[in-house]
Amino acid sequence: MIIDPEGHELDALLARLPAVHQCSVVEVGCGDGRLTRRYSQHVGSVLAIDPGELAVAAFRSEGVPANVELRAIPIDRLELSDESVHVVLFSWAL
Amino acid sequence: MVHALNRAHRWLKPPSGRIIDLRPAHVVAEVELGLPDGSIAAVGGLVVGDERRQRHRAADLAVSAVVQRGTLTVSAEREFPFYRYANSADELREYIATKWQHTHLDAATEARAHEMMRANPGARLWLRERVAIRNLLPAVAS
């Protein structure tokens, strides 16, 4: 399968990121990292989470970009400080 | 889902922190064939189970709820087409079976795709979804 070779998804996402230096992103529902890999080079850091162990294992097996931290955890178990990130991306996850 | 949005809202760093909501705008994805002459032929829609339809509806309701409560506001909302290209109907069926829950390519649509591809050498098979993306910004208290 060839997925979104036109880059419509990436373009739409990049256009919605805030214009801040070293943008920090929490991605909810990263799955196998298909989208994470495409946008991570445009932001400062990504905390990519997914409740699916298999999906996270698939992501890890293909290599995780240096600025991405990957965790197999649902959003209700993720503990973060208030007012600590620039973007929470619900990636096909709501 | 409302709980997840409320948690995410707390994590946002002012003044420009935001939630980005990216997901299908319509619950049914369409199988289509791009013909060599540039025209597009409809093959059929995927079969979507009740659970996926309910989840889709619940996501819309969750966003509406946090907006109505004055927690978040919607901005920069748009839809775009999202394409997945397959070399064959078999590949498309297997991809959907592997990656999607509560959705499948039914036998009649798959057979139609096979036949249409056979009848139109050089045609391109794809799955098209309408996807929506929006920013959810913390509402400013007045």
Side-chain angles (χ1 to χ4, degrees), chain B residues 18-83:
Chain B
R18 65 197 56 185
I19 293 168
I20 299 177
D21 174 23
L22 170 69
R23 59 192 161 89
H26 303 293
V27 74
V28 177
E30 301 292 334
V31 181
E32 296 175 335
L33 205 63
L35 301 175
D37 67 2
S39 62
I40 296 171
V43 180
L46 298 185
V47 178
V48 179
D50 286 345
E51 191 163 338
R52 184 172 168 91
R53 290 179 188 278
Q54 286 164 10
R55 187 175 172 85
H56 188 86
R57 202 158 36 240
D60 286 342
L61 290 172
V63 171
S64 295
V66 293
V67 169
Q68 283 176 5
R69 286 177 200 166
T71 308
L72 297 164
T73 60
V74 176
S75 79
E77 185 171 29
R78 66 165 282 224
E79 292 185 12
F80 58 89
F82 185 82
Y83 295 96

Side-chain angles (χ1 to χ4, degrees), chain A residues 2 4 6 16 75 85 92, chain B residues 7 11 13 22 76 83 85:
Chain A
I2 299 172
D4 190 33
E6 301 85 359
R16 279 156 187 79
I75 186 172
V85 298
W92 302 69
Chain B
R7 296 202 85 198
W11 298 334
K13 187 184 290 193
L22 170 69
Y83 295 96
Y85 297 90

Side-chain angles (χ1 to χ4, degrees), chain A residues 1-6 8 16 20 32 35 75-76 78 82-90 92-93, chain B residues 7 10-13 16-20 22 55 76 78 81-85 91 99 129 131 135:
Chain A
M1 296 291 290
I2 299 172
I3 301 176
D4 190 33
E6 301 85 359
H8 292 154
R16 279 156 187 79
V20 295
D32 62 7
L35 179 57
I75 186 172
D76 10 345
L78 180 65
D82 287 356
E83 301 186 357
S84 60
V85 298
H86 295 111
V87 172
V88 179
L89 167 63
F90 284 89
W92 302 69
Chain B
R7 296 202 85 198
R10 285 206 310 270
W11 298 334
L12 298 177
K13 187 184 290 193
S16 57
R18 65 197 56 185
I19 293 168
I20 299 177
L22 170 69
R55 187 175 172 85
R78 66 165 282 224
F82 185 82
Y83 295 96
R84 297 171 177 89
Y85 297 90
E91 184 186 31
K99 297 284 189 181
E129 273 189 286
V131 173
N135 282 346

